[in-house]
Amino acid sequence: MSAMRDVHLCHPRDGPRVTHYDSLMCGRYTIRTSLQKIIEAMSPVLAKLDPILFESRYNVAPSQDVPAMRAAESGRELVMLHWGLVPRWADDPAIGNRMINARAETADTKPAFRDAFKRRRCLLVADGFYEWKAELDGKQPYFIHMRDDAPFAIAGLWEKWKHDDQSLESCTLLTTSPNEIVKPIHDRMPAILAKADYDAWLDPKTDPDTIKILLKPFAAEAMDARPVDRSVNNPKAKGPFDQRKDVQPETFWRI
């Protein structure tokens, strides 16, 4: 019998498959923070990853490998997971292309996510994300981040898929209703967790009712948003993406 081999559909430094994810709930984000600073921010966490994987990424897109924190025997571990959850029962890993987001309100009831929601929760590491606002001249991307530009953790689910001699560890991120910063731009936002809630989210023994309470809009006063160049609409674009100076001031929202 041949050895099990891992499937890596897209390396983080490679461009994603050419699919336009800008119309989805949360289809693009950033990881500009170094590995060392992520470890400090998410501590305690064990990370046996190559720092080169954490070269600034201004346009993280589905089908790429992304850093995620999950529970391990020794505590928390930081690993790379394929963004686009592939359920255990899937025949073809391409189904993951449609599983990049899960709604916080219903993930525990959906066949693709409910088992992972109970047993395999994770936290996706990011330091900003993009949402698109419909304008008269097309969709305008906005970059949304913490005011202090610190990294944060998005609630996610992970799964391990095996088929014949192939295996793949993949993930999806959870979305919730928007806070006052995001609401004028989009009707959903990533479910960002406070650091005090990391352990409860990652622990499979945590009561399901407690888990769902954690999936609420993050405090708007800690966040900011700014319009950026539309070149980010191209999932192959590397960035960084300049702020749009021609967008009228009233399109900024601050709490």
Short mmCIF file of all heavy atoms in Angstrom, two decimals, residues 85-123:
data_model
loop_
_atom_site.label_atom_id
_atom_site.label_comp_id
_atom_site.label_asym_id
_atom_site.label_seq_id
_atom_site.Cartn_x
_atom_site.Cartn_y
_atom_site.Cartn_z
N LEU A 85 -13.19 24.43 3.47
CA LEU A 85 -13.35 23.18 4.20
C LEU A 85 -13.87 22.06 3.31
O LEU A 85 -14.86 22.22 2.59
CB LEU A 85 -14.29 23.39 5.40
CG LEU A 85 -14.42 22.20 6.36
CD1 LEU A 85 -14.49 22.69 7.80
CD2 LEU A 85 -15.63 21.35 6.03
N VAL A 86 -13.18 20.92 3.38
CA VAL A 86 -13.58 19.71 2.65
C VAL A 86 -14.14 18.72 3.66
O VAL A 86 -13.40 18.20 4.50
CB VAL A 86 -12.39 19.09 1.90
CG1 VAL A 86 -12.83 17.83 1.15
CG2 VAL A 86 -11.75 20.10 0.95
N PRO A 87 -15.45 18.47 3.65
CA PRO A 87 -16.04 17.52 4.61
C PRO A 87 -15.44 16.12 4.48
O PRO A 87 -14.99 15.73 3.39
CB PRO A 87 -17.53 17.53 4.23
CG PRO A 87 -17.73 18.80 3.46
CD PRO A 87 -16.44 19.05 2.75
N ARG A 88 -15.47 15.38 5.56
CA ARG A 88 -14.91 14.03 5.55
C ARG A 88 -15.59 13.14 4.52
O ARG A 88 -14.97 12.23 3.97
CB ARG A 88 -15.03 13.40 6.95
CG ARG A 88 -14.13 14.05 7.98
CD ARG A 88 -14.10 13.25 9.26
NE ARG A 88 -13.07 13.75 10.16
CZ ARG A 88 -12.60 13.10 11.21
NH1 ARG A 88 -13.08 11.90 11.49
NH2 ARG A 88 -11.67 13.62 11.98
N TRP A 89 -16.88 13.36 4.29
CA TRP A 89 -17.63 12.48 3.40
C TRP A 89 -17.50 12.86 1.92
O TRP A 89 -18.05 12.18 1.05
CB TRP A 89 -19.12 12.50 3.78
CG TRP A 89 -19.67 13.86 4.11
CD1 TRP A 89 -19.90 14.35 5.36
CD2 TRP A 89 -20.09 14.88 3.19
NE1 TRP A 89 -20.43 15.63 5.29
CE2 TRP A 89 -20.56 15.97 3.97
CE3 TRP A 89 -20.12 14.99 1.79
CZ2 TRP A 89 -21.04 17.15 3.40
CZ3 TRP A 89 -20.59 16.16 1.23
CH2 TRP A 89 -21.04 17.22 2.02
N ALA A 90 -16.78 13.92 1.60
CA ALA A 90 -16.68 14.39 0.21
C ALA A 90 -15.88 13.42 -0.66
O ALA A 90 -14.89 12.84 -0.22
CB ALA A 90 -16.04 15.77 0.18
N ASP A 91 -16.31 13.26 -1.89
CA ASP A 91 -15.57 12.46 -2.86
C ASP A 91 -14.47 13.27 -3.54
O ASP A 91 -13.44 12.72 -3.93
CB ASP A 91 -16.52 11.92 -3.93
CG ASP A 91 -17.51 10.91 -3.37
OD1 ASP A 91 -17.12 10.13 -2.48
OD2 ASP A 91 -18.67 10.89 -3.82
N ASP A 92 -14.70 14.57 -3.68
CA ASP A 92 -13.78 15.44 -4.41
C ASP A 92 -13.43 16.65 -3.54
O ASP A 92 -14.33 17.36 -3.09
CB ASP A 92 -14.45 15.90 -5.71
CG ASP A 92 -13.53 16.68 -6.62
OD1 ASP A 92 -12.45 17.11 -6.15
OD2 ASP A 92 -13.88 16.89 -7.79
N PRO A 93 -12.14 16.92 -3.29
CA PRO A 93 -11.76 18.06 -2.46
C PRO A 93 -12.15 19.41 -3.06
O PRO A 93 -12.14 20.42 -2.36
CB PRO A 93 -10.24 17.93 -2.33
CG PRO A 93 -9.82 17.13 -3.51
CD PRO A 93 -10.95 16.17 -3.77
N ALA A 94 -12.53 19.42 -4.35
CA ALA A 94 -12.93 20.69 -4.98
C ALA A 94 -14.17 21.28 -4.32
O ALA A 94 -14.44 22.48 -4.48
CB ALA A 94 -13.17 20.48 -6.47
N ILE A 95 -14.91 20.49 -3.56
CA ILE A 95 -16.08 21.01 -2.86
C ILE A 95 -15.69 22.13 -1.89
O ILE A 95 -16.47 23.01 -1.57
CB ILE A 95 -16.82 19.88 -2.10
CG1 ILE A 95 -18.20 20.35 -1.63
CG2 ILE A 95 -15.99 19.36 -0.93
CD1 ILE A 95 -19.03 19.26 -0.99
N GLY A 96 -14.44 22.11 -1.45
CA GLY A 96 -13.95 23.12 -0.53
C GLY A 96 -14.01 24.53 -1.10
O GLY A 96 -14.07 25.51 -0.35
N ASN A 97 -14.01 24.66 -2.42
CA ASN A 97 -14.10 25.98 -3.05
C ASN A 97 -15.39 26.70 -2.70
O ASN A 97 -15.48 27.92 -2.79
CB ASN A 97 -13.98 25.86 -4.57
CG ASN A 97 -12.63 25.35 -5.02
OD1 ASN A 97 -11.63 25.51 -4.31
ND2 ASN A 97 -12.57 24.71 -6.17
N ARG A 98 -16.41 25.93 -2.29
CA ARG A 98 -17.70 26.52 -1.92
C ARG A 98 -17.89 26.58 -0.41
O ARG A 98 -18.96 26.95 0.06
CB ARG A 98 -18.84 25.70 -2.54
CG ARG A 98 -18.72 25.53 -4.04
CD ARG A 98 -20.03 25.03 -4.65
NE ARG A 98 -20.48 23.77 -4.06
CZ ARG A 98 -20.09 22.56 -4.49
NH1 ARG A 98 -19.22 22.46 -5.49
NH2 ARG A 98 -20.56 21.46 -3.94
N MET A 99 -16.86 26.21 0.36
CA MET A 99 -16.99 26.09 1.81
C MET A 99 -16.01 27.01 2.53
O MET A 99 -15.41 26.64 3.52
CB MET A 99 -16.74 24.64 2.24
CG MET A 99 -17.62 23.62 1.57
SD MET A 99 -19.33 23.67 2.16
CE MET A 99 -20.04 22.31 1.21
N ILE A 100 -15.86 28.24 2.04
CA ILE A 100 -14.89 29.13 2.65
C ILE A 100 -15.46 29.88 3.86
O ILE A 100 -14.73 30.33 4.73
CB ILE A 100 -14.33 30.14 1.63
CG1 ILE A 100 -15.40 31.15 1.20
CG2 ILE A 100 -13.75 29.42 0.43
CD1 ILE A 100 -14.84 32.35 0.46
N ASN A 101 -16.78 30.03 3.92
CA ASN A 101 -17.47 30.69 5.03
C ASN A 101 -18.55 29.78 5.57
O ASN A 101 -19.11 28.96 4.84
CB ASN A 101 -18.16 31.98 4.59
CG ASN A 101 -17.22 33.10 4.19
OD1 ASN A 101 -17.64 34.05 3.54
ND2 ASN A 101 -15.95 33.01 4.56
N ALA A 102 -18.87 29.94 6.85
CA ALA A 102 -20.02 29.29 7.47
C ALA A 102 -20.71 30.33 8.35
O ALA A 102 -20.05 31.08 9.06
CB ALA A 102 -19.60 28.08 8.29
N ARG A 103 -22.02 30.39 8.28
CA ARG A 103 -22.77 31.33 9.11
C ARG A 103 -22.78 30.86 10.55
O ARG A 103 -23.12 29.71 10.84
CB ARG A 103 -24.19 31.48 8.58
CG ARG A 103 -24.27 32.12 7.20
CD ARG A 103 -25.71 32.19 6.70
NE ARG A 103 -26.48 33.17 7.45
CZ ARG A 103 -26.64 34.45 7.09
NH1 ARG A 103 -26.07 34.90 5.98
NH2 ARG A 103 -27.35 35.27 7.82
N ALA A 104 -22.41 31.76 11.46
CA ALA A 104 -22.35 31.41 12.88
C ALA A 104 -23.69 30.92 13.41
O ALA A 104 -23.75 30.05 14.28
CB ALA A 104 -21.88 32.62 13.69
N GLU A 105 -24.77 31.45 12.86
CA GLU A 105 -26.10 31.13 13.36
C GLU A 105 -26.54 29.71 13.00
O GLU A 105 -27.39 29.12 13.69
CB GLU A 105 -27.13 32.12 12.80
CG GLU A 105 -26.89 33.57 13.18
CD GLU A 105 -25.95 34.30 12.22
OE1 GLU A 105 -25.27 33.62 11.40
OE2 GLU A 105 -25.90 35.54 12.28
N THR A 106 -25.99 29.13 11.93
CA THR A 106 -26.50 27.85 11.43
C THR A 106 -25.42 26.79 11.21
O THR A 106 -25.76 25.66 10.83
CB THR A 106 -27.25 28.05 10.10
OG1 THR A 106 -26.34 28.65 9.13
CG2 THR A 106 -28.45 28.97 10.28
N ALA A 107 -24.16 27.09 11.45
CA ALA A 107 -23.08 26.14 11.17
C ALA A 107 -23.26 24.83 11.93
O ALA A 107 -22.88 23.76 11.43
CB ALA A 107 -21.73 26.76 11.50
N ASP A 108 -23.82 24.88 13.12
CA ASP A 108 -23.97 23.68 13.93
C ASP A 108 -25.05 22.74 13.40
O ASP A 108 -25.19 21.61 13.89
CB ASP A 108 -24.26 24.03 15.38
CG ASP A 108 -25.55 24.83 15.56
OD1 ASP A 108 -25.95 25.54 14.62
OD2 ASP A 108 -26.16 24.73 16.65
N THR A 109 -25.81 23.17 12.39
CA THR A 109 -26.88 22.33 11.84
C THR A 109 -26.61 21.89 10.40
O THR A 109 -27.32 21.03 9.88
CB THR A 109 -28.23 23.08 11.87
OG1 THR A 109 -28.17 24.20 10.97
CG2 THR A 109 -28.55 23.55 13.28
N LYS A 110 -25.60 22.45 9.75
CA LYS A 110 -25.33 22.14 8.35
C LYS A 110 -24.48 20.87 8.23
O LYS A 110 -23.49 20.71 8.94
CB LYS A 110 -24.59 23.30 7.68
CG LYS A 110 -25.37 24.62 7.67
CD LYS A 110 -26.65 24.49 6.87
CE LYS A 110 -27.39 25.82 6.79
NZ LYS A 110 -28.66 25.70 6.05
N PRO A 111 -24.85 19.94 7.35
CA PRO A 111 -24.12 18.68 7.22
C PRO A 111 -22.61 18.86 7.00
O PRO A 111 -21.81 18.07 7.51
CB PRO A 111 -24.77 18.01 6.01
CG PRO A 111 -26.16 18.56 6.00
CD PRO A 111 -26.04 19.99 6.46
N ALA A 112 -22.21 19.87 6.27
CA ALA A 112 -20.80 20.06 5.97
C ALA A 112 -20.00 20.55 7.18
O ALA A 112 -18.78 20.36 7.24
CB ALA A 112 -20.63 21.04 4.82
N PHE A 113 -20.68 21.18 8.15
CA PHE A 113 -19.97 21.85 9.24
C PHE A 113 -20.29 21.34 10.63
O PHE A 113 -19.52 21.58 11.56
CB PHE A 113 -20.29 23.35 9.21
CG PHE A 113 -19.99 24.04 7.91
CD1 PHE A 113 -20.97 24.76 7.25
CD2 PHE A 113 -18.72 23.97 7.35
CE1 PHE A 113 -20.69 25.41 6.04
CE2 PHE A 113 -18.44 24.61 6.14
CZ PHE A 113 -19.43 25.33 5.49
N ARG A 114 -21.41 20.66 10.83
CA ARG A 114 -21.88 20.40 12.19
C ARG A 114 -20.95 19.51 13.01
O ARG A 114 -20.78 19.73 14.22
CB ARG A 114 -23.29 19.81 12.16
CG ARG A 114 -23.44 18.48 11.45
CD ARG A 114 -24.91 18.15 11.25
NE ARG A 114 -25.09 16.91 10.49
CZ ARG A 114 -26.23 16.57 9.92
NH1 ARG A 114 -27.29 17.36 10.02
NH2 ARG A 114 -26.33 15.43 9.25
N ASP A 115 -20.31 18.53 12.37
CA ASP A 115 -19.38 17.68 13.13
C ASP A 115 -18.15 18.47 13.55
O ASP A 115 -17.69 18.37 14.70
CB ASP A 115 -18.98 16.46 12.29
CG ASP A 115 -18.26 15.42 13.13
OD1 ASP A 115 -18.77 15.06 14.20
OD2 ASP A 115 -17.17 14.97 12.72
N ALA A 116 -17.61 19.27 12.65
CA ALA A 116 -16.46 20.10 12.98
C ALA A 116 -16.83 21.15 14.04
O ALA A 116 -16.02 21.49 14.90
CB ALA A 116 -15.92 20.79 11.73
N PHE A 117 -18.05 21.67 13.98
CA PHE A 117 -18.50 22.66 14.96
C PHE A 117 -18.46 22.06 16.37
O PHE A 117 -18.13 22.75 17.33
CB PHE A 117 -19.91 23.14 14.64
CG PHE A 117 -20.34 24.34 15.43
CD1 PHE A 117 -20.11 25.62 14.94
CD2 PHE A 117 -20.97 24.20 16.66
CE1 PHE A 117 -20.50 26.74 15.67
CE2 PHE A 117 -21.36 25.32 17.39
CZ PHE A 117 -21.12 26.59 16.90
N LYS A 118 -18.76 20.78 16.49
CA LYS A 118 -18.76 20.12 17.80
C LYS A 118 -17.36 19.77 18.27
O LYS A 118 -17.04 19.90 19.45
CB LYS A 118 -19.59 18.84 17.73
CG LYS A 118 -21.07 19.04 17.54
CD LYS A 118 -21.76 17.68 17.43
CE LYS A 118 -23.25 17.82 17.16
NZ LYS A 118 -23.89 16.49 16.97
N ARG A 119 -16.49 19.34 17.35
CA ARG A 119 -15.24 18.70 17.75
C ARG A 119 -13.96 19.35 17.25
O ARG A 119 -12.90 19.10 17.81
CB ARG A 119 -15.25 17.24 17.28
CG ARG A 119 -16.40 16.42 17.85
CD ARG A 119 -16.37 15.00 17.29
NE ARG A 119 -17.42 14.18 17.86
CZ ARG A 119 -18.66 14.11 17.39
NH1 ARG A 119 -18.98 14.81 16.31
NH2 ARG A 119 -19.57 13.36 17.97
N ARG A 120 -14.03 20.12 16.18
CA ARG A 120 -12.80 20.62 15.56
C ARG A 120 -12.92 22.10 15.24
O ARG A 120 -13.01 22.51 14.08
CB ARG A 120 -12.48 19.80 14.29
CG ARG A 120 -11.98 18.40 14.59
CD ARG A 120 -11.79 17.57 13.35
NE ARG A 120 -13.05 17.30 12.68
CZ ARG A 120 -13.92 16.37 13.05
NH1 ARG A 120 -13.68 15.62 14.11
NH2 ARG A 120 -15.05 16.19 12.38
N ARG A 121 -12.88 22.89 16.27
CA ARG A 121 -12.92 24.35 16.10
C ARG A 121 -11.50 24.89 16.07
O ARG A 121 -10.59 24.32 16.69
CB ARG A 121 -13.74 24.99 17.23
CG ARG A 121 -15.20 24.56 17.22
CD ARG A 121 -16.00 25.32 18.27
NE ARG A 121 -15.64 24.93 19.62
CZ ARG A 121 -16.22 23.94 20.31
NH1 ARG A 121 -17.19 23.22 19.76
NH2 ARG A 121 -15.83 23.67 21.54
N CYS A 122 -11.30 25.97 15.36
CA CYS A 122 -9.97 26.57 15.25
C CYS A 122 -10.11 28.09 15.22
O CYS A 122 -11.21 28.64 15.25
CB CYS A 122 -9.25 26.07 14.00
SG CYS A 122 -10.01 26.54 12.42
N LEU A 123 -8.98 28.76 15.15
CA LEU A 123 -8.93 30.22 15.06
C LEU A 123 -8.01 30.60 13.91
O LEU A 123 -6.84 30.22 13.90
CB LEU A 123 -8.41 30.83 16.37
CG LEU A 123 -9.33 30.68 17.58
CD1 LEU A 123 -8.57 30.97 18.87
CD2 LEU A 123 -10.53 31.62 17.46
#
